[in-house]
Amino acid sequence: MTVSPLLIVVLAAGKGVRMRSALPKVLHPIGGRSMLAHVLATAGSLGPQTIAVVVRPGMEAVRAEAANAAPNIELFEQTEQLGTAHAVLAARAAIEHHAGTVLVVFADTPLIEGATLRRMIDVLDGGAHIAVLGFEPEDPTGYGRLIVDAQGRVQAIREERDALEAERRLRLCNAGAMAFRVPKLADLIARIGNANAKGEYYLTDAPAIAAAGGLMAVPIACSADEAIGVDSRVKLAAAEAVFQARARARAMDGGATLLAPETVWLSYDTTLGRDVVIEPNVFFGPGVTVEDGAHILANCHIVGTRIRSGARVGPFARLRPGADIGAEAHIGNFVEVKNARIEAGAKANHLAYIGDGRVGEGANIGAGTIFCNYDGFDKNFTDVGRGAFVGSNSSLVAPVKIGDGAYIGSGSVITSDVAPDALALERSAQDLRPGWAARFRRLKQNRKKGP
Ligand code: UD1
């Protein structure tokens, strides 16, 4: 079987009015990355020769996201939004330059799996000219219906507004993705008219035109979950739910225990090692790696962080970008860590802010410790040496360095460096008055008895 070169056309020019958002629809995130980036990642996994993305004029943020997600894409502008066939023709130059398979996908349908698209391409290798992705939704309202003949060929796709009553009762709907291996494809699509209820140029008219010309269009089925097209916030939430269910299953298959999987939120790139245990209500933003055997206790928010093997985090910890939690280290309740390396075996068990710093191996950060990293202009670094002990309620005013094995007395405000193995204490001497309390009580009680 010869491998046909692949061009993927991603349609991203729609207005997305039902999202009621200042953000272009395809930039809304699912699992921590935009729908467009999801679609481009799946497209890239098929090894295409070219990916063409069709955008609306002025969508600078969409252009930037596309370029960022897949550096070698080609961008095309659809100046007016006159329908999906019109949108495909915006990439006419790419289509005409290409000899091989053309796959059209929508940027607002982010959950179609690479293996599904591969099945569409494979059926073309087997001799079909067009593959149409179909699915059976619980509620088919709004979708185009596939009209399939007795030989299993797609004769036409009828958009709901243009469908007859009997056609509306058909269960198999158009998911949107279509693959073509047709000579002069651009000419075929250019023959599509706009004599329909919406007055749009529908790509879904392609199979009927192809069938009339003796070409063969076939349906390929996928699950309703994969086919979710996002055109509202409700559909966005539905797509997120499907994404999360898949990600949780993957994490558990990989050897992580999720005590209450439905309460753990994962990102597209969350990496969980073997024997990681995640308690309920944990949110992972992008960029988190949790190594083997680490334990995340309940109610943590973690973004851009590496948690090394055997570490224990939470409950109620907040780990922000650049946090690196060493092997067997402990980060306890109400501790926030940002851009800081906590080395192996170090502990910050309660109520602390550790920002822009290092906590050396085996060091202890007492309850209430604050790394004062910001002076209103710059962020400064705090370096706590290996085995150091920072007493509770201390403020370490950066830039400052605490030497290996040094002690900081509780309640100190440390503004200058502390030598290794020294004690630094910054507080007024304790005023001790023996018997004062008893005298005070007597005085008060005598007054109460009074005349
Ligand atoms: C489309 C299909 C319908 C299918 C449904 C699945 C057509 C005519 N209809 O309907 O059969 O059941 O998807 O979700 O294709 N777009 C552009 N430029 C345009 C118009 C659309 O780029 O001028 C893009 C949109 O950004 C979107 C996609 O094409 O990603 C689908 O367009 P939309 O008009 O929303 O089609 P549906 O009504 O969902």
Side-chain angles (χ1 to χ4, degrees):
M1 193 186 290
T2 53
V3 178
S4 162
L6 178 62
L7 162 67
I8 303 180
V9 180
V10 179
L11 302 190
K15 291 208 180 82
V17 278
R18 268 165 291 176
M19 295 296 281
R20 299 186 197 286
S21 176
L23 189 68
K25 175 167 73 170
V26 298
L27 297 188
H28 281 262
I30 289 181
R33 85 172 155 186
S34 70
M35 293 195 268
L36 177 61
H38 278 281
V39 170
L40 291 176
T42 309
S45 75
L46 298 171
Q49 217 169 38
T50 314
I51 300 179
V53 182
V54 179
V55 300
R56 221 162 359 111
M59 292 174 104
E60 292 314 318
V62 174
R63 285 171 169 274
E65 175 75 350
N68 189 36
N72 51 355
I73 54 151
E74 291 178 19
L75 285 159
F76 295 89
E77 278 191 357
Q78 186 194 17
T79 41
E80 275 183 285
Q81 281 56 66
L82 300 180
T84 43
H86 183 261
V88 171
L89 284 179
R92 186 167 193 152
I95 295 168
E96 282 178 346
H97 272 110
H98 179 81
T101 304
V102 178
L103 174 66
V104 178
V105 292
F106 297 165
D108 64 2
T109 308
L111 300 176
I112 298 174
E113 305 212 42
T116 301
L117 298 175
R118 175 60 61 198
R119 280 194 287 128
M120 297 175 71
I121 295 166
D122 288 349
V123 84
L124 302 186
D125 291 339
H129 301 97
I130 301 180
V132 180
L133 191 61
F135 72 116
E136 293 198 5
E138 243 170 62
D139 174 11
T141 310
Y143 293 109
R145 309 296 203 280
L146 300 194
I147 299 174
V148 181
D149 68 14
Q151 283 73 46
R153 297 179 178 192
V154 180
Q155 286 303 315
I157 304 175
R158 196 80 71 229
E159 290 305 302
E160 174 152 292
R161 290 176 191 226
D162 305 296
L164 302 169
E165 204 43 52
E167 291 169 341
R168 283 189 192 182
R169 282 198 291 274
L170 294 171
R171 303 285 310 157
L172 189 60
C173 292
N174 176 29
M178 245 183 255
F180 299 89
R181 198 170 299 161
V182 173
K184 298 200 186 315
L185 173 64
D187 292 347
L188 187 151
I189 295 174
R191 283 165 54 204
I192 293 172
N194 67 348
N196 53 52
K198 258 173 123 182
E200 281 190 0
Y201 297 88
Y202 291 160
L203 184 62
T204 45
D205 285 351
I209 294 175
L215 301 178
M216 181 179 27
V218 296
I220 292 290
C222 73
S223 73
D225 281 352
E226 279 186 79
I228 294 176
V230 175
D231 62 358
S232 68
R233 307 274 181 165
V234 170
K235 292 268 187 65
L236 184 69
E240 180 77 44
V242 170
F243 173 86
Q244 291 298 334
R246 282 184 190 173
R248 290 166 191 145
R250 242 193 336 267
M252 291 186 280
D253 288 345
T257 292
L258 273 50
L259 260 51
E262 65 286 0
T263 70
V264 174
W265 239 248
L266 299 161
S267 278
Y268 71 100
D269 61 349
T270 307
T271 307
L272 304 180
R274 288 165 66 130
D275 296 315
V276 163
V277 176
I278 315 278
E279 293 190 1
N281 298 323
V282 176
F283 179 92
F284 292 99
V288 178
T289 298
V290 184
E291 295 179 2
D292 294 354
H295 192 158
I296 315 293
L297 286 79
N299 300 305
C300 292
H301 192 280
I302 304 172
V303 180
T305 292
R306 177 167 183 183
I307 298 170
R308 296 177 192 248
S309 58
R312 198 183 72 203
V313 170
F316 294 99
R318 179 167 186 212
L319 304 182
R320 292 169 53 203
D324 182 345
I325 312 302
E328 309 291 331
H330 290 178
I331 297 297
N333 39 276
F334 306 106
V335 174
E336 175 177 344
V337 182
K338 184 218 64 167
N339 188 31
R341 196 167 89 238
I342 313 296
E343 292 183 350
K347 293 187 178 121
N349 272 328
H350 341 261
L351 301 158
Y353 174 61
I354 300 173
D356 300 302
R358 174 187 80 108
V359 176
E361 195 179 329
N364 186 83
I365 303 295
T369 297
I370 304 294
F371 282 32
C372 307
N373 59 327
Y374 185 50
D375 57 14
F377 295 91
D378 297 310
K379 300 285 170 62
N380 298 298
F381 194 82
T382 298
D383 190 66
V384 175
R386 156 183 233 261
F389 184 95
V390 178
S392 297
N393 218 27
S394 297
S395 300
L396 307 181
V397 182
V400 72
K401 186 171 165 53
I402 315 296
D404 291 354
Y407 261 67
I408 306 297
S410 298
S412 297
V413 177
I414 301 298
T415 52
S416 47
D417 290 356
V418 177
D421 294 321
L423 166 69
L425 200 56
E426 194 282 330
R427 57 166 104 117
S428 48
Q430 189 165 317
D431 181 6
L432 194 62
R433 302 180 190 187
W436 182 95
R439 283 198 301 280
F440 176 75
R441 266 193 304 273
R442 265 199 311 276
L443 187 72
K444 287 287 190 190
Q445 278 156 0
N446 288 342
R447 275 207 197 144
K448 233 183 184 173
K449 283 183 203 149

